[in-house]
Amino acid sequence: MSCEINKRGFYLFKVLLFTYIFIVFFIINQNKCFADSSFVDLLFHIGSTQYTSQSENKTVDLAPFIQHNTTLIPFRTILEELGYSVQWDKRSKTITASNESTTIILKINSIYAEVNGETRILAVAPKIVSERTVVPLRFVSECSGAFVSWDEEEKTIHITQYGKFDTGKVLYNEKKNNQNTLYTYDGNGINSISLENKDIQNWYTFKGQVFLTVSEQGKENKGLYLLRGNDLQLLLEHFEMKDSFEYNDNLVILGYDRVKQYDILCRFDGKSFYVVKDNFFVGKRFIFKDKMVISKYDNNRRYSVVVIDKTSWEPTVLKDGFIISDYAMDNNYVYIIGNEQEGIKKPLVIYDGNGVSSFSFKVVLDDANVDIRKVVMFQGRLFAVVDGVLCIVDDKVPIKIFFQDIGAKVRYAASFIQVFNNKLYLGTAPNAYFYNEDYVSINKPGHFIEQKGGIVEIFNVANSEIDIINANSYITINLGTYRKLIQKFEPMEIRIEENILMAWGKDSDTFDMILYTYDGSTVNRMVDIVKINNIISAGGKTFLDVRDKNRLDGTERNTIIIQDGLAISNLVVGFETKRWSDLNGSLIFTGYESSGQRNKVYSLKSEFIEQLGNFDADYWQKFGDNLFISGLNKENGSSQLYKFKDENSLFLKDNIKVLNIIKAKGPYYFIDAVDKDPNSKTLESRILLIYDDVSRDFYRVKAGLQITGMLYVQ
C-alpha cells in the first residue's frame, strides 16, 4: 500500500514537473519576437468592421470579437496587414503565413501552432465563424514582433510594429493641430517626445548629439536644448541659437541671451558644453589656414577683429576698432575691406593666416575705395583697382600704373582684374586712354590714339620701378612685358572656369554682345550673348546658361552653351534652364524647351541624352553621386520619383510627390512625400517612407503625418 502511494506520488511529481517545464518553455517562447521590415499601425474596435491602418480607413469582413478573454479576427486581414504572405489549405484546414523572417502555421480547431518550427499552445484555437476563419489577434501580432495594447474603456486594440533597418538615428518633427511631436527612429523602434505648446526653431547634429532651439508658442521665451535619450535637456534658458558650424573638432554655437541681452559664443566637443565668451556679438567671420577670424563687438560698442586657433579657445585681438565689411581669399591670403570704428576711413587689410598676432593682420591702405574682388597678389606685389585705376600698393600708398605704349605712357580705367596661369589680366573700359596732365614730362603722342577697352595680359612686373614726377609716384610696365589680348571690347564679367578665362561684354564698335574664352594660348569668341545667367563645370567641360539673340528674327532666347577645350558651341537652343547638377562628371539639367513647349530632363557625359521628355521637376536633391528628381510626368499624368547616378536614370516610384529627402546611414533614405495614388484611401495625405537603395524597396513608416523637418543624427 505504501509502495503504491509512493508510485502515485512519483508519477504526480513527474506530471507537475513536466507541466512546469512546459509552461516555462511556453512563456519564454511567447516573448520571442520575429520582426520583419514592415511598419504596422493598426487600430481595431471590438464589434466594428471598420479599422484604420496607418491612418487609412479600411473594412474587415467580420468584426473582431472576444472569446475566453481572447480577441479573434479574420486571419487574412490581420496577417496581411502584418506583412505576411498567406496560404490556406482547404483540405487540411491549415493556414500558413510567411514573411522574410517568420513562418506561422495554424490549424482550425487546434490549440497547437508552429512558429518557425517551434510548437506553441494557444488559449483559443482558430475556428470558422460565419464562414470566416478567425485567429487569435494578440498571438499572431506578437509572433511577428508587434506590440499590442488594449484599451478597456474604448474596447480598442492598437497594434504597432517597427521595421528593423540599420539607418542610424533619424529625427522628424510633426506639427498637427498646433501641437508638436518630435519622433526618433533608431533602426529598432520609434520614440516620441511631446513638445506640447513648443516649437522647434532650428536644430543641428554633431557627434551623435542634437542641439535644438525651442520656443514657447505665443511667447518670446526660447531655450537651447540637447536631446538626451527620449527627453530634452535644457542647456541655456532664454537663449536662441542663431548660427552653428564645425571648427577644430567642436561644434561652435553662436546665439543670443534674451535676459542678458547679448550674444554668446559657445562650443561643444562631443562630451561637454562650454561658454567660450559672453557679450560677444559676431559679424563677418571666416576660417582660413585653421584659424577662425571673427569681426565682433560687445555691449559697450567696442569693435575688434579677433582670431581663435586650434591651440586655444581664447580669442586673440588682431585689430581693435575695426569692422570687416567684405573679404575675398585665395590660397595664400585673405583680402579684407572694412571700416574703422570711428570716422569714415575704409582700410584695406591682408591677413596671411600664419599667426594670431597683429603682424599677420596687415593694413596695406589706410583708406581705399576698393572693390575687394579687384585685389590680387601677383609676382609678390599687391595689385588693386583703386578709384577705377590699376595700382600697385607699396608702403600703404597706391601707386598708379602706366603702360609704355608706342610713343606714349598711358593709363587705363580698370574694370576687372584676375590672375590666370601666372599672368595678370586687366579689363579696361572704353574711352579711358588717359594722359595724366599732372605728369607733364610723360611723353604724349602728337595725335589722338583711340582706346575702346579690352583685355590686357601682363607677363612680368619684376623689373617695373617706381618713378617720381612732380612729387607723384607711378610705375611703368614696359613693352614686351604685356600685350593687348583683346581690343575694342568693354568687359562686363571676367571669371575662370575649368582652367579657361572667360570674358563677357560688348564690342565697342558694333555694340554686339560677345563671349570670349581663352585657355592661355588661343582666343575664341561667340557673338550675341546678351546675358550670362549661370555657369557650371562638369566632366572637364564648362556649361553656360545664357540669354542670346536670334539674328534670324531679332528675338532673344535662352540657350545652353558648352565649352569643351578650345571649342565653344551651342548645346541646347531655346532652352530655359531651371536646375542643373554636376553628377560625377555628368551634367544633369532640366528646364523648358520652347520648340516642344514642354519641360525636359537631359544628361550629358559620353553622349547627349533626353532622359525625360515631358516632365515638370519640382524636387531636385543631390546626395554625393546620387541625384533624386521628383515631378509630374505629363505623358501619363503621374507624379514620379527618379534617381540619377552618372548619366544613368532609374525609375523608382509612381504616384508620389516628394517634399523632402534626407540621407541616413548606409543605403537608406527617408522620404517625406504626398501620396498621389488615385486608388489609395490616403490620397493627398502625407506619407513617410524609407527607401533602400540596394534592394530599391520602399517601406511606408507612417501615413497622415505633417512633418515640418527631418534630421539624420551624424
Side-chain angles (χ1 to χ4, degrees):
M1 188 71 175
S2 174
C3 181
E4 186 67 17
I5 293 175
N6 288 337
K7 283 185 179 181
R8 288 174 60 187
F10 175 75
Y11 288 129
L12 180 60
F13 172 79
K14 287 176 64 177
V15 170
L16 291 173
L17 180 61
F18 175 81
T19 303
Y20 173 79
I21 294 172
F22 181 85
I23 291 172
V24 170
F25 175 82
F26 174 75
I27 292 173
I28 291 173
N29 279 279
Q30 282 290 84
N31 292 328
K32 270 191 176 178
C33 291
F34 300 92
D36 66 0
S37 59
S38 61
F39 288 81
V40 175
D41 187 7
L42 298 167
L43 185 65
F44 291 100
H45 295 260
I46 297 299
S48 174
T49 57
Q50 301 298 312
Y51 74 100
T52 59
S53 174
Q54 291 200 346
S55 301
E56 181 179 349
N57 295 320
K58 293 185 177 182
T59 303
V60 63
D61 290 342
L62 180 69
F65 63 94
I66 297 175
Q67 188 176 89
H68 303 306
N69 294 322
T70 299
T71 301
L72 298 171
I73 190 170
F75 78 96
R76 194 171 295 278
T77 296
I78 184 61
L79 289 169
E80 289 182 351
E81 287 284 5
L82 290 169
Y84 288 92
S85 298
V86 183
Q87 292 180 337
W88 164 252
D89 189 328
K90 186 176 181 179
R91 183 182 59 83
S92 63
K93 292 185 170 49
T94 300
I95 302 164
T96 302
S98 300
N99 63 16
E100 59 192 39
S101 62
T102 307
T103 298
I104 302 174
I105 300 175
L106 302 164
K107 291 185 179 182
I108 299 301
N109 298 325
S110 174
I111 62 170
Y112 298 101
E114 283 188 19
V115 180
N116 287 348
E118 297 180 358
T119 301
R120 306 286 186 87
I121 296 180
L122 307 175
V124 177
K127 58 187 64 184
I128 297 176
V129 177
S130 301
E131 298 183 351
R132 295 290 184 269
T133 301
V134 294
V135 296
L137 181 147
R138 181 180 291 274
F139 174 81
V140 296
S141 298
E142 292 183 345
C143 281
S144 68
F147 177 76
V148 182
S149 62
W150 163 254
D151 188 322
E152 175 65 31
E153 183 176 343
E154 297 291 331
K155 295 292 189 289
T156 58
I157 306 103
H158 190 196
I159 302 170
T160 53
Q161 176 179 283
Y162 307 116
K164 310 294 183 181
F165 299 93
D166 188 17
T167 61
K169 182 181 287 188
V170 174
L171 276 63
Y172 53 95
N173 183 45
E174 180 187 27
K175 187 169 186 177
K176 183 182 290 186
N177 300 325
N178 216 32
Q179 296 295 313
N180 283 281
T181 304
L182 179 63
Y183 295 92
T184 62
Y185 174 74
D186 61 3
N188 294 307
I190 299 175
N191 292 315
S192 63
I193 302 174
S194 176
L195 299 179
E196 298 178 347
N197 62 337
K198 294 181 174 63
D199 289 320
I200 296 176
Q201 300 294 308
N202 51 47
W203 54 14
Y204 198 94
T205 175
F206 180 73
K207 292 188 176 181
Q209 304 295 331
V210 179
F211 292 85
L212 312 92
T213 298
V214 179
S215 66
E216 292 188 31
Q217 294 173 5
K219 298 180 180 179
E220 290 296 319
N221 188 30
K222 297 180 181 180
L224 181 65
Y225 290 81
L226 181 64
L227 181 64
R228 292 286 195 188
N230 200 34
D231 197 9
L232 293 179
Q233 175 187 338
L234 181 64
L235 292 177
L236 292 174
E237 195 174 6
H238 309 297
F239 182 86
E240 177 181 359
M241 182 167 55
K242 297 166 62 176
D243 194 9
S244 56
F245 56 93
E246 295 177 26
Y247 170 72
N248 193 17
D249 202 33
N250 278 245
L251 176 65
V252 179
I253 296 175
L254 306 174
Y256 180 68
D257 189 309
R258 289 182 171 271
V259 172
K260 298 177 181 177
Q261 295 189 341
Y262 55 56
D263 280 13
I264 299 177
L265 177 67
C266 310
R267 70 179 178 92
F268 176 70
D269 62 7
K271 295 180 179 179
S272 302
F273 183 83
Y274 305 91
V275 174
V276 177
K277 281 289 180 181
D278 57 14
N279 197 8
F280 194 93
F281 294 83
V282 174
K284 298 283 186 180
R285 61 173 175 81
F286 57 82
I287 296 174
F288 182 69
K289 293 184 180 179
D290 291 334
K291 312 289 192 306
M292 180 166 60
V293 177
I294 299 172
S295 183
K296 54 85 66 176
Y297 72 98
D298 58 27
N299 265 352
N300 295 319
R301 306 199 68 80
R302 291 188 295 261
Y303 292 84
S304 61
V305 177
V306 300
V307 60
I308 297 174
D309 71 0
K310 291 191 172 183
T311 62
S312 171
W313 282 95
E314 182 65 28
T316 301
V317 175
L318 288 174
K319 184 171 177 58
D320 273 321
F322 185 78
I323 306 158
I324 297 176
S325 59
D326 202 359
Y327 65 90
M329 64 177 66
D330 58 28
N331 292 331
N332 300 307
Y333 300 98
V334 182
Y335 310 103
I336 301 168
I337 192 73
N339 302 90
E340 291 187 341
Q341 181 170 337
E342 299 179 5
I344 60 173
K345 287 185 178 181
K346 296 186 176 183
L348 175 64
V349 176
I350 291 183
Y351 177 60
D352 61 19
N354 294 327
V356 296
S357 70
S358 58
F359 296 106
S360 295
F361 197 83
K362 183 179 180 182
V363 177
V364 294
L365 283 177
D366 289 320
D367 189 16
N369 182 17
V370 174
D371 182 342
I372 201 63
R373 283 158 290 279
K374 298 176 185 178
V375 179
V376 298
M377 192 72 71
F378 177 63
Q379 294 184 354
R381 284 177 154 172
L382 181 66
F383 286 74
V385 177
V386 181
D387 295 322
V389 179
L390 180 65
C391 300
I392 288 179
V393 179
D394 185 73
D395 196 23
K396 293 189 177 183
V397 176
I399 303 171
K400 297 180 178 68
I401 293 178
F402 284 78
F403 292 82
Q404 180 65 57
D405 206 338
I406 298 174
K409 292 180 180 180
V410 297
R411 188 181 74 195
Y412 298 122
S415 55
F416 293 94
I417 185 173
Q418 188 73 256
V419 175
F420 172 66
N421 284 353
N422 298 318
K423 297 182 181 67
L424 183 66
Y425 292 84
L426 176 68
T428 66
N431 301 319
Y433 214 72
F434 294 106
Y435 309 105
N436 195 311
E437 296 301 330
D438 293 335
Y439 304 155
V440 293
S441 63
I442 292 179
N443 294 327
K444 303 181 182 69
H447 61 282
F448 177 71
I449 298 177
E450 187 178 21
Q451 203 285 120
K452 295 187 175 181
I455 306 294
V456 177
E457 183 181 53
I458 302 171
F459 314 118
N460 194 334
V461 295
N463 297 323
S464 301
E465 299 295 337
I466 297 177
D467 294 320
I468 300 176
I469 296 179
N470 294 342
N472 292 301
S473 298
Y474 71 94
I475 288 179
T476 300
I477 298 181
N478 295 314
L479 288 169
T481 61
Y482 77 95
R483 67 167 175 160
K484 299 171 185 177
L485 180 68
I486 300 172
Q487 298 190 66
K488 298 182 179 181
F489 175 69
E490 182 182 357
M492 297 180 178
E493 182 178 357
I494 297 178
R495 63 191 295 169
I496 298 169
E497 291 285 340
E498 288 290 339
N499 206 30
I500 298 290
L501 181 71
M502 292 186 168
W504 169 70
K506 183 189 298 184
D507 187 287
S508 301
D509 283 342
T510 65
F511 303 109
D512 292 332
M513 302 303 296
I514 301 176
L515 173 66
Y516 285 98
T517 63
Y518 179 58
D519 67 346
S521 60
T522 304
V523 176
N524 286 331
R525 58 178 271 161
M526 178 173 277
V527 298
D528 298 330
I529 306 301
V530 177
K531 181 183 179 182
I532 297 178
N533 299 315
N534 204 354
I535 297 178
I536 191 173
S537 296
K541 306 176 183 68
T542 300
F543 301 88
L544 298 94
D545 172 24
V546 305
R547 185 85 174 164
D548 68 357
K549 181 179 179 181
N550 182 359
R551 294 214 172 203
L552 294 177
D553 57 16
T555 61
E556 293 184 3
R557 64 195 176 185
N558 294 287
T559 298
I560 295 183
I561 295 172
I562 178 173
Q563 166 86 33
D564 187 1
L566 296 178
I568 182 169
S569 59
N570 292 331
L571 178 63
V572 186
V573 177
F575 189 86
E576 183 181 356
T577 306
K578 294 183 177 178
R579 294 176 180 176
W580 60 7
S581 294
D582 170 17
L583 197 62
N584 196 27
S586 296
L587 178 69
I588 313 294
F589 60 99
T590 185
Y592 182 76
E593 193 169 81
S594 58
S595 61
Q597 295 186 338
R598 58 183 57 186
N599 288 301
K600 294 185 176 182
V601 178
Y602 285 104
S603 69
L604 174 63
K605 188 175 185 181
S606 57
E607 57 181 325
F608 186 54
I609 302 173
E610 180 184 295
Q611 297 282 358
L612 299 170
N614 193 3
F615 191 84
D616 294 351
D618 53 26
Y619 181 84
W620 188 282
Q621 185 64 51
K622 180 181 173 184
F623 300 94
D625 291 338
N626 291 326
L627 173 68
F628 289 86
I629 300 175
S630 173
L632 179 64
N633 186 333
K634 288 195 169 181
E635 295 294 335
N636 57 20
S638 174
S639 296
Q640 297 176 331
L641 174 62
Y642 288 83
K643 190 195 79 170
F644 285 78
K645 191 175 183 67
D646 293 334
E647 57 187 337
N648 302 310
S649 65
L650 177 66
F651 170 76
L652 295 182
K653 193 170 180 59
D654 238 337
N655 300 316
I656 180 175
K657 177 182 173 64
V658 172
L659 303 177
N660 189 22
I661 300 178
I662 64 167
K663 178 73 175 69
K665 181 181 176 182
Y668 299 110
Y669 296 81
F670 277 70
I671 302 176
D672 176 22
V674 176
D675 187 352
K676 289 290 185 178
D677 186 352
N679 299 316
S680 172
K681 293 184 179 180
T682 58
L683 177 65
E684 300 300 334
S685 293
R686 296 274 288 274
I687 51 176
L688 178 62
L689 306 170
I690 291 178
Y691 168 65
D692 184 340
D693 198 32
V694 174
S695 67
R696 298 176 185 170
D697 291 323
F698 288 82
Y699 303 92
R700 182 181 287 207
V701 180
K702 182 85 171 172
L705 288 170
Q706 297 298 317
I707 294 176
T708 58
M710 297 191 297
L711 180 71
Y712 170 58
V713 181
Q714 298 285 351

